[in-house]
Amino acid sequence: MPYADLHVHTTRSDGALELAEVPDAARRGGVAVVALTDHDRLQPFDEPAIERDGIRIVHGIELRVETDAGQRVDLLGYGIEPTADLEATTERIQRNRIERGRAIVDRVEDRLDVDLGVTVDDGFGRPHVARAIDAHPDAAYDYEGAFDHLIGNDGPCFVPRELPSFEHGRQVLSEAGQLVSLAHPFRYPDPGAALELTSELDAVERYYPYGRAVDSSQVDRAIERHGLLATGGTDAHERELGVTGLSEAEYQRLGLEN
């Protein structure tokens, strides 16, 4: 059972948990530390971490960026103290997220001839659309089917996002936070190319519930080659925490308690 789950989403982006519900969810999952890593959005507190009902909550963020080669990857920032540059970056992303979310909803409603009844505001993402499709009696797709047949990257209702560059994202997270990690390297089309980016980062997400076999030795080689720290977490979008994460010793090595 992990001590720290460092990849958790709340209702500030596309998760199911309210901030106030995180301590109880952490206790159910058996973890003492939770990092809130909402997509492209800062938490409603400025400290690098806070204590709530005996649970340490780390201020994190998951920022999607694009490399010069056109690969899109996610960076996890930890121990965030918001800066003007990071706030401006997330505000630009949120404006684009809202525009993109409305376009996706419009395409889905036109294609299925339904009214999804969703409100597109800050933090909106495709999981919100998929949940609305799943809940609609006339939509004919469940949550996974919505991604597979409608709003996935190759789907007829997909709309791409405008993303900051890898270099800009790495810089603003480094300036605002204590640690920058590459998220879930085996979720990208070219994991090897993604892992090469870690030469400019502090860490890589070593523990992640992919739901399939992966060659973790590739991550271990990157850790050794670039002197990286290891992070890990559930990537929770629902209410279950502690599926995977770090031991207490691994968490302490990150230095986020300082």
Side-chain angles (χ1 to χ4, degrees), residues 7-257:
H7 197 158
V8 173
H9 298 279
T10 73
T11 55
R12 286 188 69 77
S13 61
D14 53 359
L17 288 170
E18 298 283 352
L19 175 58
E21 297 176 301
V22 170
D24 283 345
R27 277 189 287 273
R28 289 195 301 271
V31 297
V33 180
V34 173
L36 303 183
T37 54
D38 284 303
H39 297 285
D40 312 310
R41 199 159 186 218
L42 297 165
Q43 294 302 318
F45 52 89
D46 292 337
E47 300 89 342
I50 59 175
E51 299 284 339
R52 287 289 186 272
D53 299 330
I55 301 297
R56 186 168 182 82
I57 300 177
V58 176
H59 191 159
I61 186 172
E62 185 172 12
L63 192 70
R64 180 156 294 181
V65 297
E66 187 167 14
T67 69
D68 290 341
Q71 179 165 214
R72 297 181 167 207
V73 299
D74 295 315
L75 300 180
L76 293 164
Y78 296 109
I80 298 293
E81 292 183 274
T83 62
D85 284 346
L86 181 54
E87 288 176 341
T89 297
T90 57
E91 287 169 5
R92 284 195 301 272
I93 293 172
Q94 290 304 323
R95 286 195 296 270
N96 177 249
R97 270 184 169 274
I98 290 171
E99 294 167 357
R100 180 220 195 194
R102 288 171 178 158
I104 291 175
V105 170
D106 287 345
R107 289 188 181 190
V108 169
E109 290 180 338
D110 287 345
R111 187 174 185 88
L112 301 183
D113 193 25
V114 298
D115 180 357
L116 293 179
V118 295
T119 300
V120 181
D121 52 16
D122 285 353
F124 191 85
R126 284 183 291 173
H128 293 96
V129 184
R131 289 182 189 125
I133 292 170
D134 188 20
H136 199 288
D138 299 322
Y141 295 101
D142 62 10
Y143 184 92
E144 291 183 359
F147 274 96
D148 291 342
H149 301 289
L150 294 173
I151 62 175
N153 291 358
D154 298 321
C157 301
F158 175 75
V159 177
R161 287 173 49 197
E162 298 173 8
L163 301 179
S165 69
F166 170 81
E167 195 55 44
H168 178 75
R170 183 200 63 77
Q171 180 176 344
V172 295
L173 291 179
S174 295
E175 292 172 351
Q178 299 173 20
L179 191 72
V180 184
S181 179
L182 176 72
H184 42 56
F186 293 106
R187 285 189 55 185
Y188 309 121
D190 188 345
L195 285 167
E196 288 179 8
L197 299 171
T198 60
S199 64
E200 299 183 56
L201 303 177
D202 306 306
V204 61
E205 193 165 47
R206 171 65 176 77
Y207 305 102
Y208 185 87
Y210 291 101
R212 56 186 170 85
V214 298
D215 181 10
S216 296
S217 66
Q218 293 184 58
V219 180
D220 294 333
R221 287 194 295 271
I223 288 173
E224 183 176 358
R225 184 164 60 249
H226 302 306
L228 302 171
L229 295 164
T231 64
T234 300
D235 197 1
H237 287 78
E238 299 302 328
R239 297 179 175 274
E240 183 181 8
L241 307 189
V243 173
T244 191
L246 302 184
S247 69
E248 184 172 4
E250 289 169 323
Y251 172 70
Q252 294 296 340
R253 281 198 286 272
L254 300 182
L256 295 177
E257 296 292 315

